[in-house]
Amino acid sequence: MATSLTFAALITACGDGKDSGSSSSGKDIVIGMVEDTSGGTAATSAEASTGISLAIDEINKAGGVGGRSLKLIRQSDGSQPSQTPAVVRKLVSDGARVIIMNSSSASAQQVKPVVEQEKIVAVSATNIATAIAEPPNNTFSFILANPITDIGTVYAAAFKKTGVTKLAVITDDSPTMAGLNKGLLPIFEQSGITIVANEKAPLNSTDVAPQLSRIAGAKPDALFVSSLGGQLEVLFHNTAHQIMPDTPRISLASIGNQPETWKLAKPGALRQLVYASAISADNERSTELGGKLKAKLGEKYLGLTAFAAQGYDTVYLLKQAIEKAGVDSSPAQVRDGLEQISKFPASWGRQGFTMSFTSSKHVGSDGLCGIVLRRFTEQNQPGDNWADYQPQCS
């Protein structure tokens, strides 16, 4: 974790802050990115960065935006929300025309007043906290993905369909999950689900047996794992597999979109785990993007993740917004361009899924077709869509 890092170390965590794009000519369109290279969302951030970098490379090779190259400058906040405002101001001072938020949801919420003051668009590539796109201070803050309220609605319906009435929850102690759980758990309870146990573990935990033993004693119908993913979530599943192997487990998106963590799971520990994906085999755009990433990454490619797809789409949405506003437009005018985008074909979700923005709609996803429930196989690999329930598109 990055809690011991100084601010100076945080904002220089990515070297000189330069990345994809041509050498600076004074005419480049600068995109600033807040990422997490050392904190609880580092794995998520890395996946999104893969898609972001690919999109920028493609756009520049095709002539850029209005003949100008995109230049990505990046700074890490270590998933420390208290540091994020200063990181954003650093990116703005370095010439960023737009900001991609590629750290935690808590970080994205923390910078809302900053981007409001600076009048610069901040688009969250993978964050799902509803508050990011809601008042106050939401005029320049946008998210792509289905928010946590959508995910809660989908899972509540799934629990009803599968007969789950008693649910146990285990979560990490991050600010992001604290905020997401406040939006998620009331939806379950309002749908008739009883939370029979609610346990928490620090992000640096090495033993979660006490928490899961108490959960097992509560005899839930299912265990809901709500975390940032990474090593701690694997520890949750390894321990649950040992203590309560017959209890169904459900998770958010993180674990299913962090391929590097799957190898940390004990044999069979992720078997039948259901998670909220956004990748569907029927989406031709997802298949196409997967092929591009495989060609770029070679043996390092472990499969398309929702985070990579959402990062990729973020850049193309910003390209379209800048084109609508004009290449010489101000950062504030880019906001107006983004709010004019309608029915943008997504590289994630089911076939035909789109994203749209307006002045009163800063959540990109157009309905529940952006959520796909999948499950893991015996080999700790994502497998088929969960046959017991899939959300109705709306």
Tab-separated table of all heavy atoms in Angstrom, residues 128-131 134 147-153 176-190 226:
chain	number	residue	atom	x	y	z
A	128	ILE	N	-17.706	3.018	-10.169
A	128	ILE	CA	-19.142	2.727	-10.185
A	128	ILE	C	-19.910	3.433	-9.072
A	128	ILE	O	-21.098	3.168	-8.886
A	128	ILE	CB	-19.400	1.210	-10.113
A	128	ILE	CG1	-18.762	0.603	-8.860
A	128	ILE	CG2	-18.890	0.520	-11.375
A	128	ILE	CD1	-19.077	-0.881	-8.671
A	129	ALA	N	-19.276	4.321	-8.339
A	129	ALA	CA	-19.978	5.062	-7.288
A	129	ALA	C	-20.944	6.053	-7.922
A	129	ALA	O	-20.545	6.945	-8.672
A	129	ALA	CB	-18.994	5.790	-6.388
A	130	THR	N	-22.221	5.911	-7.631
A	130	THR	CA	-23.252	6.764	-8.211
A	130	THR	C	-22.980	8.232	-7.913
A	130	THR	O	-23.246	9.110	-8.755
A	130	THR	CB	-24.629	6.368	-7.651
A	130	THR	OG1	-24.781	4.960	-7.750
A	130	THR	CG2	-25.745	7.045	-8.407
A	131	ALA	N	-22.435	8.519	-6.739
A	131	ALA	CA	-22.232	9.905	-6.304
A	131	ALA	C	-21.282	10.682	-7.212
A	131	ALA	O	-21.329	11.915	-7.240
A	131	ALA	CB	-21.704	9.927	-4.876
A	134	GLU	N	-23.488	12.501	-9.637
A	134	GLU	CA	-24.662	13.172	-9.071
A	134	GLU	C	-24.280	14.484	-8.395
A	134	GLU	O	-23.125	14.668	-7.992
A	134	GLU	CB	-25.347	12.256	-8.046
A	134	GLU	CG	-25.982	11.021	-8.653
A	134	GLU	CD	-26.682	10.174	-7.608
A	134	GLU	OE1	-26.330	10.293	-6.401
A	134	GLU	OE2	-27.564	9.392	-7.988
A	147	PRO	N	-23.656	2.062	-12.558
A	147	PRO	CA	-23.310	2.404	-11.182
A	147	PRO	C	-23.683	1.295	-10.207
A	147	PRO	O	-24.379	0.342	-10.550
A	147	PRO	CB	-24.130	3.673	-10.930
A	147	PRO	CG	-25.304	3.546	-11.847
A	147	PRO	CD	-24.782	2.857	-13.081
A	148	ILE	N	-23.247	1.444	-8.977
A	148	ILE	CA	-23.468	0.428	-7.956
A	148	ILE	C	-24.954	0.176	-7.721
A	148	ILE	O	-25.360	-0.946	-7.401
A	148	ILE	CB	-22.764	0.829	-6.632
A	148	ILE	CG1	-22.748	-0.339	-5.641
A	148	ILE	CG2	-23.391	2.069	-6.031
A	148	ILE	CD1	-21.912	-1.505	-6.078
A	149	THR	N	-25.788	1.186	-7.929
A	149	THR	CA	-27.231	0.987	-7.756
A	149	THR	C	-27.780	0.007	-8.789
A	149	THR	O	-28.666	-0.794	-8.485
A	149	THR	CB	-27.972	2.324	-7.851
A	149	THR	OG1	-27.500	3.038	-9.011
A	149	THR	CG2	-27.723	3.179	-6.619
A	150	ASP	N	-27.256	0.056	-10.017
A	150	ASP	CA	-27.668	-0.915	-11.035
A	150	ASP	C	-27.241	-2.322	-10.643
A	150	ASP	O	-27.991	-3.290	-10.783
A	150	ASP	CB	-27.053	-0.566	-12.391
A	150	ASP	CG	-27.772	0.562	-13.111
A	150	ASP	OD1	-28.779	1.077	-12.572
A	150	ASP	OD2	-27.326	0.936	-14.210
A	151	ILE	N	-26.004	-2.439	-10.168
A	151	ILE	CA	-25.495	-3.759	-9.770
A	151	ILE	C	-26.304	-4.299	-8.606
A	151	ILE	O	-26.649	-5.498	-8.566
A	151	ILE	CB	-24.003	-3.664	-9.417
A	151	ILE	CG1	-23.206	-3.279	-10.669
A	151	ILE	CG2	-23.493	-4.975	-8.841
A	151	ILE	CD1	-21.753	-2.972	-10.406
A	152	GLY	N	-26.637	-3.434	-7.638
A	152	GLY	CA	-27.470	-3.865	-6.522
A	152	GLY	C	-28.832	-4.348	-6.978
A	152	GLY	O	-29.349	-5.363	-6.493
A	153	THR	N	-29.431	-3.637	-7.921
A	153	THR	CA	-30.743	-4.032	-8.453
A	153	THR	C	-30.676	-5.397	-9.125
A	153	THR	O	-31.560	-6.242	-8.942
A	153	THR	CB	-31.232	-2.970	-9.460
A	153	THR	OG1	-31.389	-1.724	-8.776
A	153	THR	CG2	-32.553	-3.371	-10.089
A	176	THR	N	-13.373	3.491	-0.581
A	176	THR	CA	-14.200	3.192	-1.751
A	176	THR	C	-15.282	2.187	-1.420
A	176	THR	O	-16.465	2.382	-1.751
A	176	THR	CB	-13.336	2.666	-2.910
A	176	THR	OG1	-12.578	3.751	-3.451
A	176	THR	CG2	-14.193	2.085	-4.027
A	177	MET	N	-14.923	1.102	-0.745
A	177	MET	CA	-15.929	0.075	-0.449
A	177	MET	C	-16.915	0.557	0.610
A	177	MET	O	-18.091	0.180	0.571
A	177	MET	CB	-15.259	-1.226	-0.011
A	177	MET	CG	-14.428	-1.896	-1.097
A	177	MET	SD	-15.155	-1.882	-2.760
A	177	MET	CE	-16.741	-2.657	-2.466
A	178	ALA	N	-16.463	1.388	1.523
A	178	ALA	CA	-17.400	1.950	2.508
A	178	ALA	C	-18.490	2.730	1.797
A	178	ALA	O	-19.687	2.607	2.115
A	178	ALA	CB	-16.655	2.844	3.497
A	179	GLY	N	-18.088	3.524	0.793
A	179	GLY	CA	-19.071	4.300	0.047
A	179	GLY	C	-19.971	3.427	-0.807
A	179	GLY	O	-21.194	3.621	-0.849
A	180	LEU	N	-19.383	2.433	-1.489
A	180	LEU	CA	-20.184	1.561	-2.350
A	180	LEU	C	-21.167	0.721	-1.545
A	180	LEU	O	-22.315	0.516	-1.958
A	180	LEU	CB	-19.271	0.656	-3.180
A	180	LEU	CG	-18.417	1.347	-4.243
A	180	LEU	CD1	-17.553	0.323	-4.976
A	180	LEU	CD2	-19.279	2.110	-5.233
A	181	ASN	N	-20.731	0.234	-0.396
A	181	ASN	CA	-21.624	-0.591	0.433
A	181	ASN	C	-22.825	0.192	0.940
A	181	ASN	O	-23.920	-0.359	1.107
A	181	ASN	CB	-20.849	-1.204	1.595
A	181	ASN	CG	-19.892	-2.288	1.148
A	181	ASN	OD1	-20.092	-2.922	0.106
A	181	ASN	ND2	-18.837	-2.500	1.911
A	182	LYS	N	-22.628	1.495	1.167
A	182	LYS	CA	-23.761	2.325	1.600
A	182	LYS	C	-24.840	2.401	0.530
A	182	LYS	O	-26.028	2.556	0.827
A	182	LYS	CB	-23.280	3.732	1.960
A	182	LYS	CG	-22.524	3.812	3.279
A	182	LYS	CD	-22.101	5.251	3.568
A	182	LYS	CE	-21.340	5.336	4.890
A	182	LYS	NZ	-20.885	6.727	5.175
A	183	GLY	N	-24.439	2.309	-0.722
A	183	GLY	CA	-25.415	2.321	-1.800
A	183	GLY	C	-25.950	0.945	-2.134
A	183	GLY	O	-27.067	0.812	-2.641
A	184	LEU	N	-25.170	-0.080	-1.839
A	184	LEU	CA	-25.500	-1.441	-2.263
A	184	LEU	C	-26.384	-2.193	-1.270
A	184	LEU	O	-27.441	-2.730	-1.634
A	184	LEU	CB	-24.196	-2.215	-2.481
A	184	LEU	CG	-24.295	-3.650	-2.977
A	184	LEU	CD1	-24.820	-3.679	-4.403
A	184	LEU	CD2	-22.912	-4.313	-2.914
A	185	LEU	N	-25.962	-2.238	-0.022
A	185	LEU	CA	-26.644	-3.096	0.951
A	185	LEU	C	-28.096	-2.696	1.211
A	185	LEU	O	-28.952	-3.578	1.375
A	185	LEU	CB	-25.849	-3.151	2.257
A	185	LEU	CG	-24.412	-3.702	2.134
A	185	LEU	CD1	-23.792	-3.891	3.508
A	185	LEU	CD2	-24.374	-5.001	1.352
A	186	PRO	N	-28.429	-1.395	1.257
A	186	PRO	CA	-29.844	-1.049	1.432
A	186	PRO	C	-30.741	-1.584	0.314
A	186	PRO	O	-31.911	-1.905	0.558
A	186	PRO	CB	-29.829	0.481	1.442
A	186	PRO	CG	-28.472	0.835	1.953
A	186	PRO	CD	-27.571	-0.201	1.366
A	187	ILE	N	-30.204	-1.693	-0.897
A	187	ILE	CA	-30.998	-2.257	-1.998
A	187	ILE	C	-31.336	-3.708	-1.707
A	187	ILE	O	-32.464	-4.169	-1.943
A	187	ILE	CB	-30.234	-2.123	-3.329
A	187	ILE	CG1	-30.062	-0.649	-3.687
A	187	ILE	CG2	-30.957	-2.866	-4.455
A	187	ILE	CD1	-29.213	-0.415	-4.914
A	188	PHE	N	-30.362	-4.447	-1.188
A	188	PHE	CA	-30.623	-5.849	-0.824
A	188	PHE	C	-31.697	-5.923	0.256
A	188	PHE	O	-32.648	-6.709	0.158
A	188	PHE	CB	-29.343	-6.512	-0.312
A	188	PHE	CG	-28.254	-6.663	-1.343
A	188	PHE	CD1	-26.948	-6.931	-0.954
A	188	PHE	CD2	-28.528	-6.552	-2.691
A	188	PHE	CE1	-25.942	-7.085	-1.882
A	188	PHE	CE2	-27.519	-6.697	-3.645
A	188	PHE	CZ	-26.228	-6.964	-3.226
A	189	GLU	N	-31.538	-5.111	1.302
A	189	GLU	CA	-32.476	-5.163	2.423
A	189	GLU	C	-33.884	-4.742	2.008
A	189	GLU	O	-34.871	-5.338	2.440
A	189	GLU	CB	-31.955	-4.282	3.560
A	189	GLU	CG	-30.666	-4.824	4.182
A	189	GLU	CD	-30.016	-3.869	5.159
A	189	GLU	OE1	-30.104	-2.641	4.957
A	189	GLU	OE2	-29.412	-4.348	6.134
A	190	GLN	N	-33.968	-3.753	1.132
A	190	GLN	CA	-35.284	-3.317	0.667
A	190	GLN	C	-35.975	-4.363	-0.192
A	190	GLN	O	-37.202	-4.346	-0.344
A	190	GLN	CB	-35.136	-2.005	-0.118
A	190	GLN	CG	-34.764	-0.811	0.754
A	190	GLN	CD	-34.220	0.360	-0.048
A	190	GLN	OE1	-34.326	0.389	-1.281
A	190	GLN	NE2	-33.627	1.328	0.645
A	226	SER	N	-17.483	-8.085	-1.067
A	226	SER	CA	-17.496	-6.708	-1.569
A	226	SER	C	-16.133	-6.098	-1.292
A	226	SER	O	-15.845	-5.683	-0.172
A	226	SER	CB	-18.610	-5.919	-0.860
A	226	SER	OG	-18.668	-4.600	-1.313
